[in-house]
Amino acid sequence: MLVRDAMSTMVLTIGPAHTLRQAARLMSTRRVGAAVVLDPDTYGLGILTERDVLISLGSGQNPDTETAGTHTTTDVVFADPSWTLEEAAEAMSHGGFRHLIVMEADGPAGIVSVRDIIRCWAPSRQHEPAVPA
């Protein structure tokens, strides 16, 4: 199975000036664990994850004044839609992260997460025998 088969194509995109509270609210509303941060003036594409928000909050920083740009990972590993899920899992394992931005020639095509990969690899619950009540 390929990354294109597992990735989420609805990508949450925010700017570097969004506060961490705004970013967290958007991620929560969309039920995603990461947002692509677009900053064409400096680093281009980056990623802000729920872990980044948690680290900031845990260190006592104010989510209403801290910005996404300050907490964005800019040294990003991008996946290609044609990668296998094994290649994506290896990149995540090697880099110690849980999300990959999937890139095509015209920009971000999606995000693939560890959860997406597990969902594809785990046996479907619909094939499990029914449990008697």
Side-chain angles (χ1 to χ4, degrees):
M1 187 169 273
L2 303 177
V3 164
R4 76 171 48 92
D5 302 318
M7 70 184 190
S8 300
T9 56
M10 297 298 293
V11 179
L12 173 58
T13 305
I14 63 174
H18 277 81
T19 67
L20 290 187
R21 185 177 306 280
Q22 291 170 324
R25 185 174 293 124
L26 290 168
M27 286 190 279
S28 175
T29 299
R30 288 172 176 79
R31 299 180 58 107
V32 297
V36 173
V37 181
L38 294 175
D39 188 356
D41 295 332
T42 56
Y43 52 78
L45 284 179
I47 191 166
L48 178 76
T49 67
E50 57 197 354
R51 183 183 300 171
D52 298 321
V53 175
L54 185 64
I55 290 169
S56 174
L57 291 175
S59 67
Q61 295 176 335
N62 184 340
D64 293 315
T65 58
E66 290 296 313
T67 63
T70 305
H71 297 277
T72 296
T73 300
T74 57
D75 185 20
V76 180
V77 175
F78 298 104
D80 188 273
S82 64
W83 280 13
T84 65
L85 294 185
E86 289 82 5
E87 289 173 306
E90 174 62 30
M92 289 178 189
S93 177
H94 183 345
F97 42 80
R98 298 178 294 172
H99 299 85
L100 288 169
I101 300 173
V102 182
M103 293 293 288
E104 291 185 330
D106 57 345
I111 290 185
V112 65
S113 69
V114 169
R115 181 177 294 155
D116 296 326
I117 293 171
I118 290 171
R119 187 183 67 243
C120 290
W121 284 345
S124 174
R125 290 184 178 215
Q126 64 187 353
H127 299 305
E128 293 177 8
V131 177

